Amino acid sequence: MGNDERAELPSYVREVTGVPRTLEAPSNTRVRRSRLSRTLRVISGIALCFVALQYVRVYSELTSSSRSVRVPLHAQDYLEKCRLLDVEPGPPPDFNTREESDRFVPGTKPTLIKNATIWTGRVDGLEILHGDILLDGGLIKRIGHIESADLEHYADLTRLDAEGKWVSPGIIDLHSHLGLYNSPVLSGALDVNSRKGPILPWLRALDGLNTHDDAYKLSIAGGVTTAVVLPGSANAIGGQAILIKLRPPTDRSPTGMLLENPYERNGSVYDPRAYFRYRQMKHACGENPDRVYSGTRMDTIWAFRQAYEKARQIKQAQDDYCAKATAGEWAGLGEFPEDLQWEALVDVLRGRVKVHTHCYETVDLDDLVRITNEFKFPIAAFHHAHETYLVPDTLKAAYGHPPAVAIFATNARYKRESYRGSEFAPKILAENGLQVVMKSDHPVLNSRYLVYEAQQAHFYGLPHNLALASITTTPATVIGQEHRVGFVKEGYDADLVLWDSHPLALGATPQQVWIDGIAQLDAPHLLSKPAALQKIPPTPNFEKEAKDALKYEGLPPLDPKPSKARTVVFSNVSAVYLRDGNGVSEVYTATSEPASAGVVVVQEGKLSCVGSALSACASPVDDEDAEYINLHGGAVSPALVTVGSSLGLEEIRSEPSTMDGYVLDPLTSQAVPEIAGGEGAVMRAADGLQFGTRDALLAYRAGVTTAITAPKSAGFLAGLSVAFSTAGHHKLEDGALLQDIAALHVSISPVGVPSVSTQIAALRNLLFGETKGELKHAIDRIRKGEIPLIIDTHSADIIASVIVLKSEVEAELGSPINVTIIGATEAHLLARQISDAGIGVVVSPTRPFPSKWAQRRLLPGPPLSERNALAELLVHNVTVAVGVTEAWMARNTRFDIAWAALESNGTISKADAIALASTNVEKLLGVKTLQGDLVATQGGDLLELSKVVAVISPRRGVVDII
């Protein structure tokens, strides 16, 4: 042994040295001794080997407990990872003491907003302050009455007088696909869904965010300052969402849009050792992942459980590893257990990720609630969630806390999962103590009008404080950002909206929007609104309807009930609007005098008289069975007409068995078979009508009593539209079918194949009489001016070609033909030429959005432009009407025309607005069989947040009570 080895011997192992030599013996003796010596040496050798083996064993045992354990090379890194596992999510405690926002843009001037009415979001949304707001360093610095002395050190201060108008926190959209599902939609920038598998927690929305989406500017103009950009719902787990501010980033990058930037900004450094930022993740269940992966709900839930079991195993391995590592027990530990693909899902189990789950039906909600309890993680919010109001206790059984519910106001019945959706869901959910969020699912709904979703929720019964909170403070809380956005509080991000009216008043429009203290609207076009719109709008009582929604599990009876009385008297009427030869006129207006309150008498469904409370019309009627209805300042107006959707041809849009279906198009490869008429065939919508659909009945109950619907088409030739009563039971019923043929409909749009020029050529060929069969008969009627030609298009270039084609045909005929453009997003660019050509326009939708390339040159309206498209066309004397694009939208027609009138700055009167959705529609669509229906509203006129209580039908001789 060397010296080092000896130094390690145990103290009781003695080293023997200096053994004396023996005396030398005689030879014979030496021989014997030699033999003996060899024997002894053999025995000794064996013994020594045994001793040596025993020594090695004892030495190993004795030294194993006393010598140092070999520590992994990266042990310090692993210990740091273990420490990070214990860091709680959320902001540092001193967050709101910051002097400058991490998103502050150097050079931004401080701003003082004077004389504002401030909805702070505090005290459950009930706190309202009157005063000033100082913005500096990207933060809200002061709130209250700020004296001049407090501003002396601000040398360059931007001042704005709010004149008593409302200031709210910036709107937060909890469910958006801005920048992923791009506007306009182009195949090269469609990054919302991956189809690589049902479980994809490792994908990140940030990696697909397009900073050039045309919708950012529009959404800001609606007051949206922050959005949760989610992956789509094709997958059970679609990936990680991101929180973005909508203002253009100074570095022009997607990362620059993040609410919480991963890089150092303005001295702010993210240190996950001190606090951990919440992440967001998208889940989905039900029809979407089932359809995409050809599975069932059982398959999807198993995929969830497999994924979470994998994450649970990794989490458990990490916890076990760290328990030993922090105790210094490194023996056999190896590398820290982690997997980049699964780390985000592991963090879900650690409570560090806000889970947003796309779930509609009770079965899906129940499935996910059970999964949360099985794997012990909370859900931040259920999205869409059309049946949550039916099962609030199921949500309360979720692990950790009840999820919030992010829903639409009235968008439903587009698929089976949404069939039981109710406009009263926000009210019912709130009454059950659940958080309510109104969201856009942009671009499903244009997030510019997310405030409109809150307005509708309030209209149908959600308290005003919760309605405004549903797009500000509640989503901020749901995403774990209530420490910096969603409230007007000192130290919070300077994200604010100055409104021209109360945010819950119909048509409320931002006058300015600040993001990080930076004004976003350059030279905004301001509207003058009535003083009454500065107040919280009163809303109708829908208690009975809400109870019926629960009683009938989302499918309450919708059929109107005819009054049994021969005479119906409406009292306390503020205004009466009636059709005249040119449109609609206001024939009676009450003054502020109590005696001027109007009276309307209806006998056998026909208007008998209109007058004040002192007129002969107010005399007791000679009918002891008369029914009296107090309108409480309401009005009587012409009923509305809807066009542009498939209303009456479908019950559930995505279920083929509930709809008429799509017509075959002779311009494509889907040639019409000879048995159906071949090249000369033209389909009639009247042949496929379905009466009694829920969307039709809901439209009737909202004052839309007539629908004009064309056959459903995905190509060039749609067919002949029909006009029908939305309250009809079947087409053989008297008054149900108003006009079996209204107009011939075609669509011209850039779809690649066939080309636009091919579509124009086809229309030219038709109009010059080169066809046969029933199609020829329809074209002949157009050429004779008997029915109009309706062309569905948005592009100004296509409209220009239509103008030229119309002039060619008229030159050949020597007489005009009736042409109407429907859609018409870019029609404002040719307003004068359209007027000169005598072409009518149905603007649909009324509030434009660049869904497609052909819609990108829109006229946005205030605050981005002085006029909207409707007003611009009317200025040029174009006959204009309004339409909708989907059946569920028909019920909101009265709010659409109200918004258009409010946006016109007084150029569109209430009578004109009603005409946009009644007489003008009939005129442009060729409907000559007029119903003459009237609508009675309670608590305001048809364009206000009033309640439709009756439909007066001269054609059927009844008054339907709603």
PDB file of all heavy atoms in Angstrom, residues 491-512:
ATOM      1  N   GLY A 491     -51.989  53.312  -9.843  1.00  0.00           N
ATOM      2  CA  GLY A 491     -50.968  52.287  -9.956  1.00  0.00           C
ATOM      3  C   GLY A 491     -51.272  51.237 -11.011  1.00  0.00           C
ATOM      4  O   GLY A 491     -50.428  50.395 -11.314  1.00  0.00           O
ATOM      5  N   TYR A 492     -52.468  51.294 -11.569  1.00  0.00           N
ATOM      6  CA  TYR A 492     -52.838  50.332 -12.610  1.00  0.00           C
ATOM      7  C   TYR A 492     -52.421  50.832 -13.988  1.00  0.00           C
ATOM      8  O   TYR A 492     -52.151  52.026 -14.183  1.00  0.00           O
ATOM      9  CB  TYR A 492     -54.350  50.090 -12.585  1.00  0.00           C
ATOM     10  CG  TYR A 492     -54.779  49.048 -11.566  1.00  0.00           C
ATOM     11  CD1 TYR A 492     -54.426  49.175 -10.232  1.00  0.00           C
ATOM     12  CD2 TYR A 492     -55.516  47.933 -11.955  1.00  0.00           C
ATOM     13  CE1 TYR A 492     -54.804  48.226  -9.298  1.00  0.00           C
ATOM     14  CE2 TYR A 492     -55.900  46.970 -11.026  1.00  0.00           C
ATOM     15  CZ  TYR A 492     -55.538  47.126  -9.704  1.00  0.00           C
ATOM     16  OH  TYR A 492     -55.912  46.177  -8.783  1.00  0.00           O
ATOM     17  N   ASP A 493     -52.394  49.930 -14.959  1.00  0.00           N
ATOM     18  CA  ASP A 493     -52.076  50.310 -16.331  1.00  0.00           C
ATOM     19  C   ASP A 493     -53.056  51.384 -16.801  1.00  0.00           C
ATOM     20  O   ASP A 493     -54.262  51.297 -16.530  1.00  0.00           O
ATOM     21  CB  ASP A 493     -52.172  49.104 -17.268  1.00  0.00           C
ATOM     22  CG  ASP A 493     -51.026  48.126 -17.082  1.00  0.00           C
ATOM     23  OD1 ASP A 493     -50.298  48.245 -16.076  1.00  0.00           O
ATOM     24  OD2 ASP A 493     -50.863  47.233 -17.934  1.00  0.00           O
ATOM     25  N   ALA A 494     -52.553  52.336 -17.538  1.00  0.00           N
ATOM     26  CA  ALA A 494     -53.379  53.441 -18.026  1.00  0.00           C
ATOM     27  C   ALA A 494     -54.132  53.018 -19.279  1.00  0.00           C
ATOM     28  O   ALA A 494     -53.892  53.516 -20.379  1.00  0.00           O
ATOM     29  CB  ALA A 494     -52.510  54.661 -18.285  1.00  0.00           C
ATOM     30  N   ASP A 495     -55.054  52.053 -19.103  1.00  0.00           N
ATOM     31  CA  ASP A 495     -55.910  51.554 -20.179  1.00  0.00           C
ATOM     32  C   ASP A 495     -57.331  52.022 -19.882  1.00  0.00           C
ATOM     33  O   ASP A 495     -58.007  51.469 -18.999  1.00  0.00           O
ATOM     34  CB  ASP A 495     -55.876  50.027 -20.245  1.00  0.00           C
ATOM     35  CG  ASP A 495     -54.498  49.468 -20.556  1.00  0.00           C
ATOM     36  OD1 ASP A 495     -53.619  50.258 -20.930  1.00  0.00           O
ATOM     37  OD2 ASP A 495     -54.310  48.245 -20.430  1.00  0.00           O
ATOM     38  N   LEU A 496     -57.803  53.026 -20.609  1.00  0.00           N
ATOM     39  CA  LEU A 496     -59.075  53.661 -20.310  1.00  0.00           C
ATOM     40  C   LEU A 496     -59.863  53.919 -21.584  1.00  0.00           C
ATOM     41  O   LEU A 496     -59.297  53.993 -22.678  1.00  0.00           O
ATOM     42  CB  LEU A 496     -58.847  54.998 -19.592  1.00  0.00           C
ATOM     43  CG  LEU A 496     -58.086  54.977 -18.265  1.00  0.00           C
ATOM     44  CD1 LEU A 496     -57.797  56.400 -17.812  1.00  0.00           C
ATOM     45  CD2 LEU A 496     -58.886  54.228 -17.205  1.00  0.00           C
ATOM     46  N   VAL A 497     -61.180  54.077 -21.399  1.00  0.00           N
ATOM     47  CA  VAL A 497     -62.056  54.444 -22.512  1.00  0.00           C
ATOM     48  C   VAL A 497     -62.925  55.611 -22.067  1.00  0.00           C
ATOM     49  O   VAL A 497     -63.556  55.556 -21.007  1.00  0.00           O
ATOM     50  CB  VAL A 497     -62.962  53.279 -22.949  1.00  0.00           C
ATOM     51  CG1 VAL A 497     -63.794  53.694 -24.167  1.00  0.00           C
ATOM     52  CG2 VAL A 497     -62.156  52.032 -23.251  1.00  0.00           C
ATOM     53  N   LEU A 498     -62.953  56.660 -22.874  1.00  0.00           N
ATOM     54  CA  LEU A 498     -63.883  57.777 -22.686  1.00  0.00           C
ATOM     55  C   LEU A 498     -65.030  57.570 -23.660  1.00  0.00           C
ATOM     56  O   LEU A 498     -64.825  57.512 -24.879  1.00  0.00           O
ATOM     57  CB  LEU A 498     -63.179  59.116 -22.956  1.00  0.00           C
ATOM     58  CG  LEU A 498     -64.080  60.359 -23.014  1.00  0.00           C
ATOM     59  CD1 LEU A 498     -64.765  60.592 -21.666  1.00  0.00           C
ATOM     60  CD2 LEU A 498     -63.270  61.588 -23.432  1.00  0.00           C
ATOM     61  N   TRP A 499     -66.253  57.423 -23.130  1.00  0.00           N
ATOM     62  CA  TRP A 499     -67.433  57.093 -23.939  1.00  0.00           C
ATOM     63  C   TRP A 499     -68.267  58.338 -24.236  1.00  0.00           C
ATOM     64  O   TRP A 499     -68.303  59.280 -23.442  1.00  0.00           O
ATOM     65  CB  TRP A 499     -68.298  56.079 -23.210  1.00  0.00           C
ATOM     66  CG  TRP A 499     -67.602  54.784 -22.916  1.00  0.00           C
ATOM     67  CD1 TRP A 499     -66.906  54.460 -21.787  1.00  0.00           C
ATOM     68  CD2 TRP A 499     -67.540  53.641 -23.768  1.00  0.00           C
ATOM     69  NE1 TRP A 499     -66.414  53.180 -21.887  1.00  0.00           N
ATOM     70  CE2 TRP A 499     -66.788  52.644 -23.084  1.00  0.00           C
ATOM     71  CE3 TRP A 499     -68.057  53.340 -25.023  1.00  0.00           C
ATOM     72  CZ2 TRP A 499     -66.540  51.387 -23.641  1.00  0.00           C
ATOM     73  CZ3 TRP A 499     -67.809  52.089 -25.576  1.00  0.00           C
ATOM     74  CH2 TRP A 499     -67.056  51.132 -24.893  1.00  0.00           C
ATOM     75  N   ASP A 500     -68.995  58.304 -25.354  1.00  0.00           N
ATOM     76  CA  ASP A 500     -69.890  59.419 -25.679  1.00  0.00           C
ATOM     77  C   ASP A 500     -71.230  59.305 -24.960  1.00  0.00           C
ATOM     78  O   ASP A 500     -72.037  60.229 -24.979  1.00  0.00           O
ATOM     79  CB  ASP A 500     -70.090  59.544 -27.194  1.00  0.00           C
ATOM     80  CG  ASP A 500     -70.795  58.348 -27.815  1.00  0.00           C
ATOM     81  OD1 ASP A 500     -71.216  57.429 -27.074  1.00  0.00           O
ATOM     82  OD2 ASP A 500     -70.919  58.306 -29.063  1.00  0.00           O
ATOM     83  N   SER A 501     -71.495  58.158 -24.354  1.00  0.00           N
ATOM     84  CA  SER A 501     -72.714  57.930 -23.579  1.00  0.00           C
ATOM     85  C   SER A 501     -72.400  56.847 -22.558  1.00  0.00           C
ATOM     86  O   SER A 501     -71.275  56.332 -22.530  1.00  0.00           O
ATOM     87  CB  SER A 501     -73.870  57.526 -24.494  1.00  0.00           C
ATOM     88  OG  SER A 501     -73.501  56.469 -25.363  1.00  0.00           O
ATOM     89  N   HIS A 502     -73.365  56.503 -21.727  1.00  0.00           N
ATOM     90  CA  HIS A 502     -73.105  55.430 -20.774  1.00  0.00           C
ATOM     91  C   HIS A 502     -72.734  54.166 -21.547  1.00  0.00           C
ATOM     92  O   HIS A 502     -73.365  53.843 -22.566  1.00  0.00           O
ATOM     93  CB  HIS A 502     -74.342  55.174 -19.909  1.00  0.00           C
ATOM     94  CG  HIS A 502     -74.065  54.265 -18.764  1.00  0.00           C
ATOM     95  ND1 HIS A 502     -73.966  52.886 -18.916  1.00  0.00           N
ATOM     96  CD2 HIS A 502     -73.857  54.516 -17.450  1.00  0.00           C
ATOM     97  CE1 HIS A 502     -73.701  52.335 -17.729  1.00  0.00           C
ATOM     98  NE2 HIS A 502     -73.631  53.306 -16.821  1.00  0.00           N
ATOM     99  N   PRO A 503     -71.711  53.435 -21.118  1.00  0.00           N
ATOM    100  CA  PRO A 503     -71.261  52.272 -21.893  1.00  0.00           C
ATOM    101  C   PRO A 503     -72.355  51.234 -22.145  1.00  0.00           C
ATOM    102  O   PRO A 503     -72.265  50.476 -23.132  1.00  0.00           O
ATOM    103  CB  PRO A 503     -70.142  51.685 -21.024  1.00  0.00           C
ATOM    104  CG  PRO A 503     -69.668  52.821 -20.194  1.00  0.00           C
ATOM    105  CD  PRO A 503     -70.855  53.692 -19.948  1.00  0.00           C
ATOM    106  N   LEU A 504     -73.382  51.187 -21.302  1.00  0.00           N
ATOM    107  CA  LEU A 504     -74.453  50.214 -21.514  1.00  0.00           C
ATOM    108  C   LEU A 504     -75.611  50.782 -22.331  1.00  0.00           C
ATOM    109  O   LEU A 504     -76.582  50.066 -22.605  1.00  0.00           O
ATOM    110  CB  LEU A 504     -74.977  49.702 -20.164  1.00  0.00           C
ATOM    111  CG  LEU A 504     -73.975  48.895 -19.344  1.00  0.00           C
ATOM    112  CD1 LEU A 504     -74.585  48.479 -18.014  1.00  0.00           C
ATOM    113  CD2 LEU A 504     -73.473  47.672 -20.110  1.00  0.00           C
ATOM    114  N   ALA A 505     -75.508  52.047 -22.737  1.00  0.00           N
ATOM    115  CA  ALA A 505     -76.518  52.631 -23.615  1.00  0.00           C
ATOM    116  C   ALA A 505     -76.278  52.140 -25.035  1.00  0.00           C
ATOM    117  O   ALA A 505     -75.141  52.068 -25.511  1.00  0.00           O
ATOM    118  CB  ALA A 505     -76.452  54.152 -23.559  1.00  0.00           C
ATOM    119  N   LEU A 506     -77.356  51.783 -25.702  1.00  0.00           N
ATOM    120  CA  LEU A 506     -77.232  51.288 -27.067  1.00  0.00           C
ATOM    121  C   LEU A 506     -76.496  52.309 -27.938  1.00  0.00           C
ATOM    122  O   LEU A 506     -76.789  53.506 -27.892  1.00  0.00           O
ATOM    123  CB  LEU A 506     -78.632  51.026 -27.635  1.00  0.00           C
ATOM    124  CG  LEU A 506     -78.727  50.142 -28.874  1.00  0.00           C
ATOM    125  CD1 LEU A 506     -78.212  48.745 -28.578  1.00  0.00           C
ATOM    126  CD2 LEU A 506     -80.170  50.083 -29.362  1.00  0.00           C
ATOM    127  N   GLY A 507     -75.531  51.837 -28.718  1.00  0.00           N
ATOM    128  CA  GLY A 507     -74.778  52.716 -29.606  1.00  0.00           C
ATOM    129  C   GLY A 507     -73.612  53.424 -28.963  1.00  0.00           C
ATOM    130  O   GLY A 507     -72.956  54.255 -29.608  1.00  0.00           O
ATOM    131  N   ALA A 508     -73.309  53.121 -27.690  1.00  0.00           N
ATOM    132  CA  ALA A 508     -72.183  53.778 -27.011  1.00  0.00           C
ATOM    133  C   ALA A 508     -70.908  53.623 -27.834  1.00  0.00           C
ATOM    134  O   ALA A 508     -70.568  52.517 -28.268  1.00  0.00           O
ATOM    135  CB  ALA A 508     -71.998  53.194 -25.617  1.00  0.00           C
ATOM    136  N   THR A 509     -70.215  54.743 -28.032  1.00  0.00           N
ATOM    137  CA  THR A 509     -69.031  54.767 -28.894  1.00  0.00           C
ATOM    138  C   THR A 509     -67.889  55.482 -28.181  1.00  0.00           C
ATOM    139  O   THR A 509     -68.102  56.551 -27.592  1.00  0.00           O
ATOM    140  CB  THR A 509     -69.354  55.505 -30.212  1.00  0.00           C
ATOM    141  OG1 THR A 509     -70.420  54.823 -30.870  1.00  0.00           O
ATOM    142  CG2 THR A 509     -68.136  55.553 -31.132  1.00  0.00           C
ATOM    143  N   PRO A 510     -66.684  54.939 -28.217  1.00  0.00           N
ATOM    144  CA  PRO A 510     -65.547  55.630 -27.593  1.00  0.00           C
ATOM    145  C   PRO A 510     -65.240  56.961 -28.269  1.00  0.00           C
ATOM    146  O   PRO A 510     -65.264  57.075 -29.502  1.00  0.00           O
ATOM    147  CB  PRO A 510     -64.387  54.647 -27.786  1.00  0.00           C
ATOM    148  CG  PRO A 510     -65.046  53.313 -27.925  1.00  0.00           C
ATOM    149  CD  PRO A 510     -66.315  53.586 -28.679  1.00  0.00           C
ATOM    150  N   GLN A 511     -64.951  57.968 -27.445  1.00  0.00           N
ATOM    151  CA  GLN A 511     -64.422  59.224 -27.964  1.00  0.00           C
ATOM    152  C   GLN A 511     -62.896  59.234 -27.925  1.00  0.00           C
ATOM    153  O   GLN A 511     -62.262  59.946 -28.696  1.00  0.00           O
ATOM    154  CB  GLN A 511     -64.970  60.400 -27.148  1.00  0.00           C
ATOM    155  CG  GLN A 511     -66.466  60.618 -27.337  1.00  0.00           C
ATOM    156  CD  GLN A 511     -66.938  61.930 -26.762  1.00  0.00           C
ATOM    157  OE1 GLN A 511     -66.405  62.414 -25.768  1.00  0.00           O
ATOM    158  NE2 GLN A 511     -67.948  62.522 -27.372  1.00  0.00           N
ATOM    159  N   GLN A 512     -62.347  58.422 -27.020  1.00  0.00           N
ATOM    160  CA  GLN A 512     -60.899  58.207 -26.992  1.00  0.00           C
ATOM    161  C   GLN A 512     -60.618  56.921 -26.224  1.00  0.00           C
ATOM    162  O   GLN A 512     -61.376  56.530 -25.335  1.00  0.00           O
ATOM    163  CB  GLN A 512     -60.166  59.376 -26.346  1.00  0.00           C
ATOM    164  CG  GLN A 512     -58.648  59.309 -26.443  1.00  0.00           C
ATOM    165  CD  GLN A 512     -58.156  59.137 -27.872  1.00  0.00           C
ATOM    166  OE1 GLN A 512     -57.967  58.001 -28.322  1.00  0.00           O
ATOM    167  NE2 GLN A 512     -57.949  60.248 -28.582  1.00  0.00           N
TER     168      GLN A 512
END
